[in-house]
């Protein structure tokens, strides 16, 4: 059985890819982004490749590559592609698999299916990435509610950004979720800085066993 984590977040552009790169590298795992919407800028898969020292074999190909940077359902329609939810399956691999979704949990994959429902069909625990900036409490607690209402396994929460202790505490207490660590804003985002941040701010044991 494939083991690993689903990395999701409260929003787009918050650092899910940066965290996924850090975690994939730290666990010597494989990275998988099932749907990439937007191909003109660096893709998430390319970013993970650049940000880690991992060989190409550990960065898996996407199932759907869509041209327009938009919600997958719209991006697919623009490309004239129909996303077949049945094709959104996890690759069978050895070692931990880090799967990154798109945007937040209630992003539509098609006009009938939300990304969270695709996640729920996979038996992997979820890591929620949340910002620490103003607005984070509301977004994080809403995301946790959505996960809980579907009975999904929440592995823990990762904060991204400056330290705001009360925000982190409030989310963990009121959302009843484990804090895995915080990825601060790094002046240089690269393999070495991500490795150092993981060893200083996270516990490997939280991700194994
Ligand atoms: N911890 C960080 N320190 C510095 N820059 C970051 C950090 N996390 C993310 N970024 C930058 O912020 C932008 C969005 O991050 P990304 O990981 O792509 O977000 P998401 O996957 O949630 O859309 C990227 O340009 C990325 O390089
Ligand atoms: Mg991303």
């Amino acid at each position: 059985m494939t083991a690993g984590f689903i990395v999701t977040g409260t929003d787009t552009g918050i650092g899910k890819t940066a965290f996924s790169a850090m975690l994939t590298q730290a666990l010597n795992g494989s990275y998988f982004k099932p749907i990439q919407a937007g191909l003109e800028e660096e893709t998430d898969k390319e970013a993970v490749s650049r940000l880690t020292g991992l060989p190409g074999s550990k960065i898996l190909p996407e199932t759907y590559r869509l041209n327009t940077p938009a919600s997958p359902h719209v991006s697919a329609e623009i490309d004239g592609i129909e996303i077949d939810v049945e094709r959104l399956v996890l690759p069978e691999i050895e070692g931990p698999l880090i799967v990154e979704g798109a945007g937040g949990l209630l992003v539509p994959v098609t006009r009938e299916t939300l990304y969270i429902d695709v996640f729920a069909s996979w038996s992997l625990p979820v890591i929620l990435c949340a910002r620490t900036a103003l607005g984070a409490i509301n977004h994080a607690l809403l995301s946790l509610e959505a996960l809980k209402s579907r009975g999904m396994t929440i592995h823990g929460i990762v904060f991204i950004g400056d330290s705001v202790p009360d925000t982190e505490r409030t989310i963990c207490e009121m959302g009843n979720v484990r804090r895995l660590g915080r990825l601060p804003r790094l002046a240089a985002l690269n393999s070495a800085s991500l490795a150092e941040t993981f060893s200083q701010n996270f516990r490997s044991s939280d991700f194994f066993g």
Side-chain angles (χ1 to χ4, degrees), residues 7-21 31 33 42-44 47 50-51 100-103 129 159-161 182-189 193-194 197:
V7 174
T8 186
T10 51
D11 205 346
T12 189
I14 64 160
K16 294 184 300 293
T17 301
F19 171 72
S20 298
Y31 172 84
K33 170 102 181 176
E42 182 181 57
T43 64
D44 283 3
R50 174 175 56 83
L51 293 173
E100 182 185 344
C129 296
F159 293 100
I160 299 173
R182 181 173 60 87
L183 171 57
R185 204 188 304 269
L186 299 175
L189 209 55
S193 66
L194 289 173
T197 300

Side-chain angles (χ1 to χ4, degrees), residues 29-31 45 48-49 52-61:
S30 299
Y31 172 84
K45 173 173 161 284
V48 170
S49 190
T52 65
L54 291 165
S57 59
K58 294 263 190 186
I59 319 275
L60 305 173

Side-chain angles (χ1 to χ4, degrees), residues 145-179:
E145 270 200 16
L147 291 164
K148 287 174 190 167
S149 75
R150 287 164 176 81
M152 295 171 65
T153 304
I154 303 169
H155 191 71
I157 191 163
V158 167
F159 293 100
I160 299 173
D162 298 335
S163 172
V164 186
D166 188 77
T167 294
E168 298 181 34
R169 174 186 163 189
T170 304
I171 291 169
C172 292
E173 284 178 3
M174 299 193 80
N176 191 25
V177 63
R178 165 165 67 159
R179 181 186 184 281

Side-chain angles (χ1 to χ4, degrees), residues 25-128:
Q25 176 174 268
L27 303 185
N28 191 26
S30 299
Y31 172 84
F32 179 47
K33 170 102 181 176
I35 307 173
Q36 172 67 42
L39 301 178
E40 224 155 82
E41 309 265 294
E42 182 181 57
T43 64
D44 283 3
K45 173 173 161 284
E46 287 163 355
V48 170
S49 190
R50 174 175 56 83
L51 293 173
T52 65
L54 291 165
S57 59
K58 294 263 190 186
I59 319 275
L60 305 173
E62 302 96 340
T63 308
Y64 287 101
R65 289 170 57 83
L66 309 168
N67 283 298
T68 310
S71 175
H73 76 294
V74 168
S75 189
E77 285 180 4
I78 292 169
D79 284 0
I81 286 175
E82 206 163 315
I83 292 181
D84 179 359
V85 175
E86 302 287 310
R87 275 193 63 206
L88 295 174
V89 291
L90 297 180
E92 297 266 336
I93 56 147
E94 293 286 318
L97 179 69
I98 311 304
V99 188
E100 182 185 344
L105 287 161
L106 300 199
V107 164
V109 165
T110 68
R111 292 202 176 265
E112 289 77 40
T113 308
L114 297 171
Y115 223 138
I116 191 171
D117 295 316
V118 177
F119 290 158
S121 73
W122 298 335
S123 49
L124 288 186
V126 175
I127 296 174
L128 180 69

